[in-house]
Amino acid sequence: MQYSLILAALSAASVTAQKGDWAASAAKASQSLQGLSLQQKAGIVTGTGWMQGPCVGNTGEAQSIGFRSLCLQDGPLGVRYAGSVTAFPPAIQAASTWDVELIKQRAVGMGEEARALGVNVLLGPSAGPLGKIPQGGRNWEGFGADPYLQGVGMYETIVGIQESGVQACAKHYIGNEQEYRRSELSANIDDRTVHEMYLWPFADSVRANVASVMCSYNKLDSVYACENDEYLNQILKTELDFPGFVLSDWGAQHTTDGSAKGGLDMTMPGDNFGDNQFLWGNNLVNAVNSGQVQQSRVDDMVSRILTSWYYTGQDSGFPNVGFNSWNGNGGPNVQGNHKEVARAVARDGIVLLKNTNNALPLNKPESIAIIGSHAFDNPQGPNACVDRGCNTGPLGMGWGSGTVDYPYLIAPYDAIKQQADADGTRVTQADSDNFSHGGTAARAAETAIVFITADSGEEYITVEGNAGDRNNLNAWHTGNELVAAVAEGNQNTIVVVHSVGQILLESFIELDNVVAVVWAGLPGQESGNALVDVLYGKTAPSGKLPYTIGKRAEDHGVSIVRGDDNFSEGLFVDYRHYDKQGIEPRFEFGFGLSYTTFDYSGLTATYSDKSPADNVAAPGGSASLYETVATVTATITNSGDVAAAEVAQLYLGLPSSAPETPAKQLRGFQKVHLEPGQSATVQFPLRRKDLSYWDAQGKNWVIPSGAFAVHVGASSRDIRLTGSMA
Ligand SMILES: *[C@@H]1O[C@H](CO)[C@@H](O)[C@H](O)[C@H]1NC(C)=O
Ligand SMILES: *[C@@H]1O[C@H](CO)[C@@H](O)[C@H](O)[C@H]1NC(C)=O
């Protein structure tokens, strides 16, 4: 072998040795650090400025160590501002599938596309907002209003993205529950609520070895999140032992030395959206030279950035940036076959809410009326509005930075029409939201399918008077009146809802003529195809709600806050609140119908390992918190006559020795596909953390003594099996 080949083989071996190994990556990082000047270090931790580079965020480079400018690009459902990428369904739809493998495969697709375009850091997934406020504009970017479900979504998505060597970014850390005054309000969250609710999915993110975490716009206990020693240095970097780097949300840095001391490691986009004012860069160099910021802190920032770079193997063979966000060069087609997973997530995230006398699936109806503007293509195309900032045509995602440009968007009308043509079904249409037209079309057909939506997004765009957050929980475009007019004219009315989150269904949900309600969520590019799969029974619906749909907006107990937010509801968010207050929701968290029925039997609950957790630091917190110590099992049987999947859910109640805790908290779920008559055993492994509460005085997770209530069911209220475990 030639000497140069031996050298190449040796360096390849050392690359493999540090990839996927935090300690080896950190060692390599501290070695590389030796060769960098202070100026180079300041360049690595400082963005080049808004629109100063091909990506939404770009860092300085350090050629001496082979470190190219990093490309940081939105976002949580794919690569923003690229020309030919998959428009995956948003995370809320992935959560709605409750299918761990699908959640992961969606992320694998996103990671592959990001890598192919040379994106070093893909700015997602998002677990903040958690979604405590139904009107919150960005809830759809995350995995629903429960920390456990969010945690599973974050974990699988980070693992999936990072499989391609792309760095994932867990955001927005933390307490960013609404858009209104997001850069001014202080989220004041008590320590127990932090740990059991808002931090929980971030702990899972760190445990999944996420390479980066984005601090949020808001303050926490009156200190900005991006300079918050308690949340960044104490909780994230010490308690959760996070080895990667913290980057600011765009423009969320406020001080030079405060952010450095508070634990920020990278500022983005460098200046504040093009004002050419850099709090770091030369100002950081000056702060070190004047002794305001310690050199060791800057070294730590750079080490963390390099550590994540080595950890994901980006020092070797990572593609160059292949697109430009600003000049119309969208780059190559990187979609591969990802439309398949995009369709599967869109389809399996559909939740069937009402289905009187098996109105669905459709079986070659004689005629169908398709009603409502949102069933039809936007004549201006699916990308007519920048960052999806309008509500015209089919709704596949909300608006803001967490969007991508659609390669195509299959309108519901087009997909249904194709099926109807094959079936010999006559199709009539009303392609506006005008009730008078809708009613006329409805009267002329055997079955009427009416489409309504609700939209939300990020605060820098206002759509129809909604500045990010939704102004109310009603269907947009007088959807309620449209449904009423259609139902008045047709006794087989099917309502399809495309929505960012909960809407109020009370005006029509109990109408006899409304025979079915299909919650199609936010399906991304495969909207129509996914819907037809379910409407026609090619696949039985198997999605479950990742939030509670209430009867009145007030029933949720929280809404957009005008001042600071003390999070006084504590742990009692979404179904925890409904349970505590004894409020009947319309459709509870975890709810979803099928075309078949499932029987639950044979509950077992075994709590075998009573040893307490230790305090050995590891990413995500002590590894012992994540060891299985108890197991619950049950048997699920498909007792109907259609092949289908069921999401069996485990809710735990803590023993009475624990301080006040919600009566039921999600602590496991499993989706099983069953043929008619077939049974399967579902298993819910419980980890120490799943059995614990956070003791704010002792600053520790504590497993309370006594009997745990064990509930296994088809939703948070449709509990089929109850037992206990001590
Ligand atoms: C709805 O359509 C009717 C009949 O074409 C028309 O008279 C009416 O003005 C329309 N309503 C709206 C709000 O456009
Ligand atoms: C939040 O708590 C602070 C301090 O206790 C109090 O002054 C303030 O009024 C509270 N805010 C709200 C909205 O309740």
Side-chain angles (χ1 to χ4, degrees):
M1 201 187 267
Q2 285 176 359
Y3 185 61
S4 63
L5 287 180
I6 295 171
L7 275 185
L10 277 176
S11 84
S14 71
V15 166
T16 319
Q18 75 219 10
K19 185 177 172 187
D21 180 335
W22 283 119
S25 301
K28 189 82 185 359
S30 70
Q31 192 183 42
S32 297
L33 189 70
Q34 308 309 315
L36 298 178
S37 67
L38 179 56
Q39 199 72 41
Q40 280 177 309
K41 292 172 186 172
I44 289 174
V45 304
T46 307
T48 53
W50 180 238
M51 296 177 76
Q52 303 303 308
C55 302
V56 300
N58 310 273
T59 67
E61 58 185 13
Q63 281 177 5
S64 55
I65 58 166
F67 184 85
R68 293 199 309 256
S69 171
L70 292 182
C71 164
L72 296 86
Q73 190 74 2
D74 297 299
L77 61 73
V79 183
R80 186 187 183 196
Y81 293 152
S84 190
V85 295
T86 304
F88 291 95
I92 197 70
Q93 192 79 0
S96 190
T97 70
W98 300 63
D99 184 324
V100 171
E101 189 53 32
L102 264 188
I103 293 172
K104 172 149 178 226
Q105 288 312 317
R106 167 184 175 271
V108 167
M110 295 189 325
E112 287 173 358
E113 296 189 10
R115 182 184 178 100
L117 290 169
V119 173
N120 297 89
V121 182
L122 186 65
L123 300 169
S126 167
L130 181 83
K132 77 159 178 163
I133 304 172
Q135 294 89 338
R138 300 185 76 179
N139 293 351
W140 57 274
E141 296 185 46
F143 297 92
D146 176 87
Y148 183 93
L149 183 56
Q150 286 267 12
V152 172
M154 294 296 279
Y155 186 94
E156 297 297 332
T157 301
I158 288 160
V159 170
I161 290 171
Q162 293 194 171
E163 257 181 24
S164 295
V166 169
Q167 302 184 39
C169 176
K171 68 184 192 180
H172 307 85
Y173 183 80
I174 193 172
N176 187 177
E177 291 295 315
Q178 64 178 49
E179 291 300 284
Y180 179 68
R181 295 184 73 245
R182 69 177 180 181
S183 298
E184 291 95 43
L185 80 75
S186 180
N188 309 319
I189 320 175
D190 71 87
D191 197 35
R192 184 177 177 207
T193 301
V194 168
H195 281 82
E196 296 186 27
M197 301 296 286
Y198 301 92
L199 185 66
W200 184 290
F202 286 98
D204 282 324
S205 303
V206 178
R207 194 169 59 87
N209 294 307
V210 74
S212 66
V213 170
M214 183 192 292
C215 48
S216 52
Y217 284 115
N218 53 289
K219 296 171 187 166
L220 296 155
D221 302 323
S222 303
V223 178
Y224 275 111
C226 290
E227 51 184 76
N228 198 298
D229 174 74
E230 170 75 18
Y231 277 91
L232 299 182
N233 292 328
Q234 312 303 324
I235 295 180
L236 181 61
K237 292 182 177 176
T238 306
E239 184 187 319
L240 297 186
D241 201 26
F242 172 55
F245 65 97
V246 175
L247 70 153
S248 71
D249 205 338
W250 267 232
Q253 184 195 30
H254 293 271
T255 57
T256 299
D257 59 327
S259 59
K261 290 170 185 159
L264 185 69
D265 302 308
M266 179 189 285
T267 175
M268 279 292 152
D271 63 357
N272 190 5
F273 283 107
D275 66 358
N276 212 27
Q277 305 291 310
F278 291 79
L279 289 166
W280 282 0
N282 283 335
N283 281 324
L284 186 60
V285 172
N286 295 339
V288 171
N289 288 335
S290 71
Q292 257 188 309
V293 172
Q294 300 215 314
Q295 169 79 43
S296 60
R297 180 68 264 273
V298 177
D299 287 350
D300 178 51
M301 297 172 193
V302 176
S303 290
R304 286 171 172 276
I305 294 166
L306 294 179
T307 296
S308 290
W309 185 65
Y310 286 123
Y311 179 82
T312 47
Q314 293 189 354
D315 56 319
S316 166
F318 199 80
N320 289 320
V321 179
F323 72 110
N324 188 301
S325 302
W326 320 115
N327 70 4
N329 168 19
N333 180 341
V334 295
Q335 296 170 63
N337 64 353
H338 300 149
K339 71 178 182 191
E340 289 170 24
V341 66
R343 179 174 180 161
V345 172
R347 176 193 69 212
D348 292 353
I350 292 174
V351 183
L352 182 62
L353 295 180
K354 179 177 180 180
N355 194 21
T356 308
N357 297 328
N358 300 320
L360 293 176
L362 296 173
N363 182 18
K364 297 186 165 62
E366 184 269 319
S367 57
I368 296 180
I370 301 174
I371 297 163
S373 68
H374 298 288
F376 298 86
D377 277 333
N378 180 350
Q380 271 75 55
N383 301 313
C385 304
V386 171
D387 297 336
R388 310 295 74 77
C390 58
N391 187 236
T392 311
L395 181 69
M397 60 185 79
W399 73 76
S401 65
T403 57
V404 303
D405 287 346
Y406 289 104
Y408 60 83
L409 171 50
I410 306 288
Y413 171 80
D414 294 331
I416 296 170
K417 180 72 165 64
Q418 192 177 16
Q419 179 68 43
D421 287 349
D423 291 347
T425 299
R426 186 170 52 85
V427 176
T428 57
Q429 66 191 71
D431 61 3
S432 76
D433 300 319
N434 181 313
F435 340 131
S436 140
H437 297 175
T440 304
R443 276 187 288 279
E446 180 186 308
T447 295
I449 312 180
V450 54
F451 290 79
I452 59 175
T453 71
D455 205 352
S456 73
E458 206 173 343
E459 50 102 75
Y460 67 89
I461 301 175
T462 294
V463 178
E464 300 181 31
N466 296 263
D469 304 318
R470 283 186 284 163
N471 293 340
N472 55 58
L473 298 182
N474 297 327
W476 283 31
H477 302 160
T478 53
N480 288 341
E481 290 84 347
L482 179 62
V483 172
V486 170
E488 201 175 286
N490 191 299
Q491 58 187 15
N492 292 308
T493 296
I494 297 163
V495 181
V496 176
V497 186
H498 286 115
S499 177
V500 289
Q502 302 95 320
I503 66 170
L504 300 175
L505 304 170
E506 294 309 297
S507 72
F508 60 78
I509 192 68
E510 289 185 350
L511 295 178
D512 288 340
N513 283 357
V514 171
V515 292
V517 176
V518 178
W519 191 266
L522 290 181
Q525 68 185 29
E526 287 287 327
S527 178
N529 289 335
L531 183 65
V532 162
D533 287 343
V534 169
L535 286 180
Y536 285 85
K538 297 171 192 182
T539 306
S542 62
K544 303 268 189 172
L545 289 177
Y547 40 67
T548 295
I549 297 178
K551 293 182 177 174
R552 305 178 311 157
E554 311 85 271
D555 287 351
H556 289 285
V558 285
S559 59
I560 302 299
V561 302
R562 300 289 144 190
D564 290 341
D565 187 352
N566 289 342
F567 285 64
S568 53
E569 71 289 334
L571 306 174
F572 296 93
V573 167
D574 200 81
Y575 65 91
R576 294 163 165 84
H577 161 77
Y578 279 83
D579 287 351
K580 182 185 185 198
Q581 299 299 332
I583 299 169
E584 193 69 31
R586 174 51 66 178
F587 296 111
E588 70 275 14
F589 179 87
F591 179 88
L593 301 172
S594 176
Y595 293 155
T596 191
T597 51
F598 297 98
D599 287 347
Y600 285 62
S601 62
L603 180 71
T604 74
T606 319
Y607 181 12
S608 43
D609 179 354
K610 306 279 171 64
S611 61
D614 59 39
N615 277 320
V616 181
S622 167
S624 64
L625 288 171
Y626 299 97
E627 289 166 2
T628 299
V629 293
T631 304
V632 172
T633 70
T635 301
I636 315 298
T637 303
N638 183 341
S639 50
D641 47 20
V642 176
E646 170 70 327
V647 180
Q649 300 157 44
L650 168 68
Y651 295 86
L652 273 194
L654 294 191
S656 55
S657 67
E660 190 190 13
T661 305
K664 297 197 277 319
Q665 302 197 89
L666 182 71
R667 285 294 182 263
F669 61 87
Q670 192 184 336
K671 189 165 196 172
V672 282
H673 295 260
L674 296 170
E675 296 298 317
Q678 195 187 358
S679 296
T681 302
V682 288
Q683 267 211 342
F684 309 104
L686 289 161
R687 308 157 304 176
R688 283 193 181 84
K689 192 171 171 182
D690 297 324
L691 304 182
S692 302
Y693 67 90
W694 178 257
D695 174 12
Q697 269 74 52
K699 293 240 162 235
N700 214 347
W701 291 99
V702 173
I703 301 181
S705 59
F708 291 81
V710 176
H711 308 279
V712 173
S715 81
S716 61
R717 290 191 162 218
D718 184 4
I719 300 299
R720 307 292 185 85
L721 304 167
T722 291
S724 76
M725 182 179 84

